[in-house]
């Protein structure tokens, strides 16, 4: 938590289902949610994109959605709407959290444990 809250960029961590498990104060400030209210919600309810997102690494989806869909890192600048009605451009870099899983008698496999997203206000 000390490292997470020392970073000036927003950091959001989600589980395999898209539920926010952790975020730092910077991420909460960028998306306009109180951290205590945002944790345990689906990221899709927190990251409200407008359709005129700037295409960097995907189509009209934001980088977190693209990362879940492809299982690969994705970067996208998106125009987000905050709960108080502000519109801000946010550069989102999302990477899958992968863990090697070894079951007795089988080969090691990779399993997704969620996504880590870095958010930077580029307004």
């Amino acid at each position: 938590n000390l490292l997470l809250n020392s970073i000036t960029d927003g950091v959001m961590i989600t589980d395999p289902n898209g539920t926010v498990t952790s975020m730092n104060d910077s991420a909460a400030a960028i998306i306009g949610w109180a951290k205590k209210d945002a944790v345990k919600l689906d990221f899709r309810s927190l990251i409200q994109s407008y359709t005129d997102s700037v295409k960097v690494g995907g189509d009209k989806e934001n980088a977190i959605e693209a990362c879940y869909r492809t299982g690969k890192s994705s970067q996208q600048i998106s125009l987000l709407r905050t709960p108080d009605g502000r519109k801000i451009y946010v550069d989102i870099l999302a990477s899958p959290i992968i863990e090697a899983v070894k079951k007795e008698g089988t080969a090691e496999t990779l399993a997704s444990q969620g996504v880590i997203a870095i958010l930077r206000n580029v307004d």
Side-chain angles (χ1 to χ4, degrees), residues 35-54:
K35 192 163 69 169
K36 66 177 177 57
D37 295 332
V39 173
K40 298 193 178 174
L41 291 178
D42 190 289
F43 80 88
R44 293 164 197 90
S45 65
L46 304 173
I47 306 288
Q48 299 291 319
S49 298
Y50 282 95
T51 57
D52 57 345
S53 294
V54 179

Side-chain angles (χ1 to χ4, degrees), residues 54-59 61-63 66 69-70 73-77:
V54 179
K55 186 174 180 181
V56 173
D59 292 318
E61 64 190 357
N62 67 52
R69 183 177 52 76
T70 65
S73 293
S74 180
Q75 184 170 6
Q76 174 103 10
I77 297 173

Side-chain angles (χ1 to χ4, degrees), residues 50-107:
Y50 282 95
T51 57
D52 57 345
S53 294
V54 179
K55 186 174 180 181
V56 173
D59 292 318
K60 300 275 184 200
E61 64 190 357
N62 67 52
I64 303 171
E65 293 166 328
C67 185
Y68 272 100
R69 183 177 52 76
T70 65
K72 297 178 182 176
S73 293
S74 180
Q75 184 170 6
Q76 174 103 10
I77 297 173
S78 295
L79 180 60
L80 303 183
R81 179 184 58 220
T82 63
D84 63 0
R86 291 182 300 130
K87 296 178 186 178
I88 57 169
Y89 282 100
V90 178
D91 184 12
I92 304 172
L93 172 61
S95 297
I97 302 169
I98 304 295
E99 179 181 38
V101 177
K102 174 87 170 138
K103 293 183 182 175
E104 191 174 324
T106 64

